[in-house]
């Protein structure tokens, strides 16, 4: 029973980004359809999959058409997070021809990108079936689209990492490097001081690159440190780290996560696998709009 | 002598999108660096290529750091549209450590995406060297980033197609299908009527899927129709179409353009090859920020 | 059969500018009607022409009332681009008295200005009847109102020139002056280089002030140069230029276009006559709102 | 000693409207100057009057250039509210040629409109010299430009009326008509009730169309009513009304104010003459930008 | 018969501030209700007073729920400006449980603050019953909420002072101090010059701290000066000042206005008592939302 | 050693809210200072405390003056989070008199409110000295000011709770009531399901009103539940709850927190005490601006 994908971006946020995209694509109207197509022509268009995948973007598609002309209706046969085969009919759009032609590209731009992310995530998740690892996104999202790309990851069965720099602490390699160079305090002292000033609801995650670093952090596991990020660890070292941490903190693997490597990584027992590729390099899924004859 | 890549997005536009991205990534500050790193720590960071490519995004990178803290300086060793090898130093960033850590991800998110587009475009362009075909983008851009993705295409040596629905006419398959179903006028009459109402500066492009359609359009070539878009034509049909049009209008090939197919398509003599993949499915280029020891 | 005036500004754009104007005119409410008029008073108001003209602005008028109070209905007897006589009833507005009084001035400010432009344009167009010249606007529009003023020109039977600096090239006198002073390339070389970098959908127009300049440009007519702008030419020189260009490029006359001079200019055979006065100096048309007794 | 014209629109407001206008005119850059003019070309341009007038708009002109490129300097020889003759040099602009060409039209669009208003106002003011009447604007301003058009009126030696519906009460003919139809209270009772609820800083002005209406209002003059607006009164009736009001309230004449009629109206002794034409139908003043050889 | 409280903030303004507050409180959704509560659960919630007071904020409450989910209905038993006792039911809210829980805090944040202001104002007004003094607010309002806090003051039976620096003149102690130090003109000359340049609808108020200052201003009372602000005057001096001004101008008392002192101050005969505490230090009224079993 | 208060709102956020406030207070300029005070008058003003307290708002004060006129300099003698006595000089402001007078009220409105919050927080913190309880804010903040009011709480030595509905889970009484009425799952099952879908960085806090509810939650402490909110518990029950939870989760007390009750509550050993009053009902601190003679 999936509760998660129902946590949709708000209508406000959805309409705001669609308005922006529509304006970017037609700052002073659609010259072609407004001069070529009769004002009273109506049409039925079919949103069809040209390859298999996982759907994401129904609200954005609906908004792209409705905000261009409120007389357009969009009926979805499938819903976000559901899978489809090539040639499947995803939705039927009906209404004024001019507006449907004007909004087509924007609807597809959103749907192809987000369904691409959902589909890629689902592939990663499938590889890890049977393990308890959760696949998460990162902050490597497209500027302006984070809310929607994170939703796409959830539609594909993945999970979200922190949303932003403001809602969780992640002390990464560069933080630790600068910290050791700029203060006389030990890392342990610094992290304890940090715990004392951030809100009690704030999760603290620390990145390490070697098993040796684990020694330093061990006393803080589970109290100060909620998650240890094991970056670019070998499979052997991942296993060792998971065993040594022993459930006192969550473990997260990152670095070089691909469909080929993910199963072995999940098998090490890590709790979380975060993959930037889900959002920084998805392939747009091939979806098309066919005018019904 | 390249004039083109200097046609950069304006400072206004650059700063606006960077501000948006910074706010999305840190709506109420960077919890980690602001609590862990001393306020007076300064640092030098190196923007380094982890793989070869073409640079795009220097103004966005500079703005990401400067808008986080105006005390940060960013010096580029290379400039937009220039190529680099793996391990090459691209830029040196110096200033307050907190702000550099806060802005790092946003700077990289822009740079990796746009350099990915520039690099992919350059690969396509390289394939067509010696032909006179120009490689162009399409409207399949990321919502909100069109201005910048088109610039990235130019940095890669490609050209731009129309910016939006407002600045050129493109009568595509769906337009023609609806048109024939909804008016009693011939296509030729419709296009002539269109020519009579759009501004004299407006370019008219018409898409055809078969050679047969060319017969209908022939009398309009060069007067009403400026470009004929040959969509998903076989190589043979492309050659035939180019010959028959005979320079009276520009010819554009589209549909299934890949690095494998592009050279043969260019060899047919078409003037323009438009490829949606340049902007809808680029792989993020691997760039990183190293803290100088 | 007029298709053109139906290319209306979008509902989004219309409502946005009306909201701005309503806010400018009543930043914290309408002191008079909200304290003087009973909240439940309703009224019927008549939008009446006080002089003959061409209507433009029905959507803006409707929005001005509806955005002030959605209970107001506005029924137009005439539509945009239609002509009316003095004393003609244009529309009937019915609803809450307070809101109608509050919105009245804003509705009229838009309608009087745009109908003034449409009426002035129609007068210019009438003068050129029987010639094939199209009358166009320029970029001399009121800041913020370009989309609407261009629509008003279309309502008056005129055509639009390029919308902005971004959607067509116009090399004007100042460009040519600077160009010759700052490069060693010939004008022909510069224009060819320009053609090579701008999108293939971009129209190029070049301004000349003397017949002599035509010699330089002649080889580029019809390939690189789409339109020649003949600025402040005498009638004789206009005739000569039109003949020499001989249909290889469009010809446009500009400079000192008035109702007195336009007929003779059109008679020279130029394709386009652009007149800044249409939008920079229209007289507001006298329209009024009468409360029905 | 003029204090008034120094009450300039704020830098914030000035820059906001200029940014909007620049964006409207070049949504994705200036194709012509950015491809035709070398990036390093600099130029000196002269802002020159082509006819006599009163200057208004120096801050907007300065902002139009500076916001396009901060390297541009603009030096004014004259300042707002000063008069000039045809051919007078108004300002010298120096800097990057591309940006000067890009901003030229926007700078002129503002300057020509506002100087047109200032010049027209000055002509009206000149006609009333020797009388004590002040010439004021109305709410018949261009949507979005009210702040600047009111400033232009002040530059021409005129005065401002209320800014908006929110900062003073004006009970006009339509208010009075609806009021009498919708309440059983007398006008006097209604106005007294109004006085009791609006802020003590709020000025109340009431419009009348006939001398007879004055009888009703007389007891309220100077306490409740601060100004009586005498709309479309004959010169005789204006004289009579001014005498009868006898300084207990200010008197304002409106309706059909032109350069031909204004002197006689001022001679009746009215305190204020408000003229919508100042802002709804000014002729753009002819100013030009010459590139220095 | 109260007309005043019906002068409500516009729907535009109300919805804009509610949207902002909802976004501030849930930038990327409500994690708790969207994951814990079934999507189809509906609920009835009761807005209940936990202490007696005066209601203010019904439109904001309605908007907070409706803008979160348009399926929510809000029925008010009482309306703005009405009084209630502890435990009184103020409104019934019905609809989707998720959205009601999400909007609850924002609805209460607005309602508690504004009802706190209305209740405090009503207490001040009650103390001055039987006198003719009107209680007014000041510019000491919460940034961003002035429109609503002024409305709350009206709901409590108070009046508004000027809205902003733009709609009335108030020459306060700091103005007079700087004026005397920086010009050679007398205060009387300065005020006369001011009167000559501000709009005729502008009210002029001058602050004095001592009776002696009244001598200087006396000749200007009623012509140039509309209100004299008597700041921090003793009761005796207030009486004297009111007598000496003798109705030629309005009198306003300010400084140290509390529920303990206000009655005596009102008894001196001043026309206006302005109290910053109404808006800068109100106590939030205790209102709660109970889920109906 | 306090790191916390240096986590200041960003310059972007600070300037944005100050611009909004300045515009709200002077939509079309400051009539008084711009007409009364000579343009070239400069002045030195002293920001002085009229009562003791804790400073908060230096960046907002600086911005209020600098954004009105960049020629104004503001030098602080004390910094945010520092205490002062009555009559202490807090800052010296120097620059153009007009702008200082225009910005004065906005600077004070921010400073008085935020210093009021900091001072009230410091009083609460002082009461709990020697205990290990941290005092936190709630979501009962002023719409639009949350970022700044949370900072004020930190300046007073308090801590922040979650920022918004998006960054932590809090299952409160209304959630639990609806949950039990709308699902057949046990609370334990619901919370476990929730844990499985929210990000691993998300903290989960659950509110209980009785000790009995603790039995149900006990198995989830420390794994699923990070904090137990003990709402309106008696002191005895608080002690019992803290003991029974025994460090497996954090404990938070809320409800009826005042300066009189807080010490005893802290003595029960709770980890967190959250007080809505800190931000919903602070008294504005009395600060003033004196013009230096």
């Amino acid at each position: 029973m999936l509760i998660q994908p129902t946590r949709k971006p708000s209508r406000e946020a959805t309409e705001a980004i669609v308005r922006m995209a529509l304006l970017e694509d037609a700052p002073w109207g659609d010259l072609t359809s407004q001069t070529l197509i009769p004002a009273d022509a109506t049409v039925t268009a079919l949103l069809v999959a040209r390859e298999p995948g996982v759907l994401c973007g129904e609200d954005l598609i609906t908004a792209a058409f409705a905000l261009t002309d409120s007389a357009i209706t969009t009926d979805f046969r499938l819903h976000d997070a559901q899978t489809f085969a090539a040639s499947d009919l995803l939705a039927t759009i009906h209404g004024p021809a001019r507006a449907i032609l004007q909004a087509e590209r924007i609807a597809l731009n959103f749907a192809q990108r987000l369904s691409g992310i959902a589909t890629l995530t689902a592939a990663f998740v499938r590889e890890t079936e049977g393990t308890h690892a959760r696949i998460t996104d990162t902050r490597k999202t497209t500027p302006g689209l984070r809310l929607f790309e994170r939703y796409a990851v959830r539609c594909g069965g993945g999970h979200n990492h922190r949303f932003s720099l403001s809602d969780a602490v992640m002390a990464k390699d560069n933080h630790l490097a600068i910290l050791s160079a700029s203060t006389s305090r030990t890392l342990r002292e610094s992290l304890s001081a940090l715990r004392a000033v951030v809100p009690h609801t704030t999760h603290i995650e620390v990145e390490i690159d070697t098993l040796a670093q684990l020694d330093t952090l061990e006393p803080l596991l589970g109290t100060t440190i909620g998650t240890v990020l094991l970056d670019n660890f070998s499979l052997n070292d991942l296993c060792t780290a998971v065993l040594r941490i022993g459930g006192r903190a969550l473990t997260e693997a990152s670095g070089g996560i691909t469909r080929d490597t993910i199963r072995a990584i999940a098998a090490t027992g890590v709790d979380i696998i975060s993959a930037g590729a889900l959002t920084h390099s998805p392939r747009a899924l091939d979806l098309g709009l066919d005018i019904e004859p």
Side-chain angles (χ1 to χ4, degrees), chain A:
Chain A
M1 191 218 58
L2 268 180
I3 293 186
Q4 194 182 30
T6 60
R7 185 149 57 85
K8 286 182 162 188
S10 71
R11 185 174 163 160
E12 284 284 304
T14 302
E15 294 194 352
I17 201 151
V18 169
R19 275 182 220 279
M20 180 278 297
L22 290 170
L23 187 64
E24 186 187 41
D25 193 43
W28 51 92
D30 176 0
L31 266 182
T32 312
S33 67
Q34 289 177 334
T35 51
L36 197 60
I37 307 294
D40 56 0
T42 60
V43 83
T44 298
L46 307 176
L47 180 66
V48 178
R50 309 244 191 267
E51 59 175 318
V54 175
L55 184 64
C56 181
E58 60 178 326
D59 285 0
L60 291 156
I61 294 168
T62 301
F65 289 111
L67 292 176
T68 302
D69 191 326
S70 58
I72 303 177
T73 57
T74 305
D75 294 313
F76 274 87
R77 302 296 167 92
L78 281 178
H79 294 289
D80 284 353
Q82 294 185 313
T83 56
F84 50 80
S87 304
D88 275 3
L89 173 64
L90 304 180
T92 304
I93 297 103
H94 182 78
R98 284 182 172 183
I100 288 177
L101 289 169
Q102 177 168 349
E104 171 185 357
R105 183 75 261 141
I106 295 310
L108 289 174
N109 280 355
F110 279 114
Q112 292 185 252
R113 172 170 197 87
L114 296 185
S115 297
I117 292 174
T119 303
L120 182 60
T121 303
F124 275 45
V125 168
R126 226 170 12 248
E127 293 293 338
T128 60
E129 256 169 31
T131 75
H132 88 288
R134 52 163 69 179
I135 309 303
T136 75
D137 51 27
T138 64
R139 286 169 45 243
K140 298 178 182 178
T141 55
T142 309
L145 299 184
R146 184 171 291 178
L147 189 63
F148 300 93
E149 295 187 343
R150 282 164 62 91
Y151 173 65
V153 166
R154 295 200 301 272
C155 285
H159 287 73
N160 296 140
H161 210 292
R162 64 170 173 173
F163 188 93
S164 74
L165 294 171
S166 299
D167 59 299
V169 165
M170 281 192 77
K172 310 190 80 171
D173 54 351
N174 279 345
H175 292 94
L176 302 190
I178 294 172
L179 195 57
S180 77
S182 60
T183 73
S184 56
R185 294 202 287 187
T186 66
L187 176 56
R188 241 184 264 169
E189 287 168 341
S190 290
L191 289 171
S192 297
L194 185 157
R195 172 78 283 170
V197 296
V198 297
H200 68 277
T201 58
T202 300
H203 191 90
I204 297 176
E205 180 161 346
V206 180
E207 173 183 328
I208 59 175
D209 305 308
T210 65
L211 278 172
Q213 288 174 283
L214 203 48
D215 300 331
T216 313
L217 300 180
E218 216 146 11
L220 304 176
L221 296 181
T223 50
T224 292
I225 298 177
T227 303
V228 180
L229 174 58
L230 308 157
D231 193 47
N232 280 313
F233 270 50
S234 68
L235 288 176
N236 273 352
D237 284 357
L238 268 185
C239 285
T240 307
V242 169
L243 282 171
R244 281 184 49 192
I245 291 169
R248 284 172 295 168
L250 296 171
T251 51
E252 174 179 340
S254 71
I257 311 295
T258 68
R259 286 183 64 173
D260 293 336
T261 62
I262 197 168
R263 180 145 199 90
I265 291 169
T268 64
V270 290
D271 301 296
I272 298 138
I273 303 174
S274 56
L278 297 181
T279 54
H280 72 52
S281 296
R283 190 174 56 74
L285 208 73
D286 198 359
L287 309 176
L289 202 72
D290 296 336
I291 298 299
E292 210 172 39

